[in-house]
Amino acid sequence: MSESQTTYIRPTAQPRREASESRFIQACKRQKPDRTPIWLMRQAGRFMPEFRDIRSRVSFLELCKNSELACEVTVMAVDMLDVDAAIIFADILLPIDALGLGLEYVKGEGPLIHNPIRLATDVAALKPIDVGQSLGYVYKSIELTARALPKHIPLIGFAGAPFTLASYMIEAGGSKTFDKTKSFMYSEPEAWHLLMKKIVDISAQYLNFQVDAGADALQLFDSWVGCLSPTDYERFVLPHTKALIELVSGRVPVIHFGTGTATLLKLMAQAGGDVIGLDWRVNLAEAWLNLGFDKAVQGNLDPTVLLGTREELKLQVARIMKEAASRPGHIFNLGHGVLPMTSPDQVKFLVETVRNSEAAQ
Ligand code: 1CP
């Protein structure tokens, strides 16, 4: 699958100068912005009544594939929450749909993949896809959203990291133990590495294509990679994630995020990324010291703190700001996505609290 096979559907978008000089992008580059930027993973989602209202009329996949609606939802979250960055409304599993593995989102149960990868022959049978054609709707969503957003708000494009994407393909959905993924990895190492290479190839095209469409930064979600030991990460994941990040680097900042990764952070940094996303299980100051201050960091409030009192929320925000110590290169975020039962008012209160935090000045 070579670059030349890709038929990008539109020319490269016009650069958005103000967004590319925004406080979020400055922080990604470890410059010192006027205050700590904040955005939230899953900021456009089920915690918002307006989102649930739209979802009552269209299925999740329809929403992702309807670029006008995807644009509306992305911009709505920024308008309502007053955050410093937008993330395009899409899903990490869309390339699985494009690959023809039969992706379905089952109400109340999450994603289901009808034709999972179970055998080495399933990996060999995966055909290259034309990203410009099969995921062209994401290009269009980004292009529309980059135009619709306030000039100074950067737009984040994203993809699942190779391990997390492979885990969905093999498990046929979400998992707690990742037993099928790991047993495939251990018993079919050659097929595993081929699968990871195929995912890297598609994802590199997909992410570069998002930058062409107007994304000002990229985030790689390795949400479930924390289920691996450091040695297994090094053997089965690192070379592939590194190859992917190399293929998309140098154009816009890249955020490399995972959860349960306390023991993997240094290896993740080795794989690459301008910014490393931290979950709440680590102390931000210690994690940053361990990573080295040549990386920016993003995080790391526990999303469940939003379900507690405002006093507790203020305490925890103050603690995180203190851990970041006004060092250039901190982007405030949750340690994982906003939970669906979160009150929108509490999310707005968090954004205001970070904005008014003394250490943010
Ligand atoms: O309305 C619904 O029922 C759909 C819920 C939903 C939403 C709002 C899904 C299904 N995906 C999304 C949007 C989404 N997903 C966004 C854009 C919105 C935003 O962040 O503002 C992004 C960035 C994602 C990324 C994503 N999808 C991840 C990585 C982040 C994370 O939470 O770790 C993952 C793992 C997915 C898979 C996925 N998609 C949807 C669900 C319910 C899941 C998780 C399933 C599981 O737990 O395994």
Side-chain angles (χ1 to χ4, degrees), residues 63-341:
L63 177 46
C64 290
K65 291 181 180 185
N66 181 328
S67 299
E68 282 77 17
L69 269 185
C71 166
E72 189 184 324
V73 172
T74 308
V75 177
M76 181 178 82
V78 173
D79 285 349
M80 291 189 51
L81 303 174
D82 199 18
V83 281
D84 295 308
I87 182 158
I88 193 63
F89 192 85
D91 196 74
I92 64 162
L93 305 180
L94 297 175
I96 295 182
D97 175 61
L99 279 165
L101 297 186
L103 172 68
E104 189 192 350
Y105 292 88
V106 185
K107 204 173 167 7
E109 283 184 42
L112 177 67
I113 286 112
H114 290 283
N115 312 308
I117 303 283
R118 289 288 156 74
L119 305 167
T121 49
D122 297 332
V123 177
L126 276 179
K127 294 266 176 323
I129 54 168
D130 182 335
V131 171
Q133 212 160 51
S134 55
L135 291 160
Y137 58 90
V138 177
Y139 188 104
K140 195 170 159 205
S141 301
I142 291 178
E143 199 184 38
L144 287 176
T145 307
R147 269 196 248 131
L149 281 170
K151 280 201 194 74
H152 64 286
I153 298 291
L155 178 59
I156 305 167
F158 69 91
F163 175 82
T164 293
L165 218 53
S167 81
Y168 279 101
M169 291 180 180
I170 297 170
E171 302 288 338
S175 174
K176 285 204 166 70
T177 54
F178 299 93
D179 48 294
K180 295 185 185 69
T181 308
K182 291 188 190 183
S183 68
F184 190 81
M185 204 167 84
Y186 299 133
S187 51
E188 295 283 1
E190 262 180 46
W192 168 264
H193 287 295
L194 180 62
L195 175 61
M196 294 293 269
K197 282 200 179 102
K198 289 191 172 193
I199 294 175
V200 167
D201 197 355
I202 291 163
S203 306
Q205 292 181 49
Y206 183 43
L207 288 166
N208 275 316
F209 161 91
Q210 294 186 48
V211 179
D212 292 345
D216 301 292
L218 295 171
Q219 177 153 326
L220 213 51
F221 284 94
D222 218 347
S223 303
W224 313 130
V225 78
C227 71
L228 295 180
S229 68
T231 20
D232 284 350
Y233 181 87
E234 225 173 337
R235 289 170 63 205
F236 294 105
V237 178
L238 195 150
H240 304 290
T241 302
K242 189 165 193 269
L244 174 57
I245 295 177
E246 269 167 19
L247 287 165
V248 302
S249 282
R251 303 182 69 192
V252 296
V254 176
I255 306 167
H256 186 185
F257 165 80
T259 73
T261 50
T263 61
L264 303 180
L265 287 173
K266 277 198 94 115
L267 294 169
M268 283 175 67
Q270 227 171 289
D274 303 283
V275 185
I276 302 295
L278 305 173
D279 83 359
W280 66 92
R281 296 168 183 92
V282 296
N283 171 294
L284 187 141
E286 281 172 22
W288 206 350
L289 184 67
N290 181 25
L291 283 166
F293 298 120
D294 58 334
K295 292 283 179 192
V297 293
Q298 176 172 279
N300 69 340
L301 184 74
D302 186 334
T304 58
V305 171
L306 287 165
L307 308 177
T309 63
R310 291 195 165 185
E311 284 65 39
E312 180 64 26
L313 180 58
K314 282 200 275 188
L315 268 177
Q316 297 242 13
V317 168
R319 173 187 54 78
I320 290 169
M321 298 305 269
K322 199 165 162 224
E323 286 169 7
S326 303
R327 220 172 246 119
H330 175 222
I331 299 156
F332 201 102
N333 205 316
L334 302 179
H336 205 173
V338 183
L339 295 166
M341 67 294 269

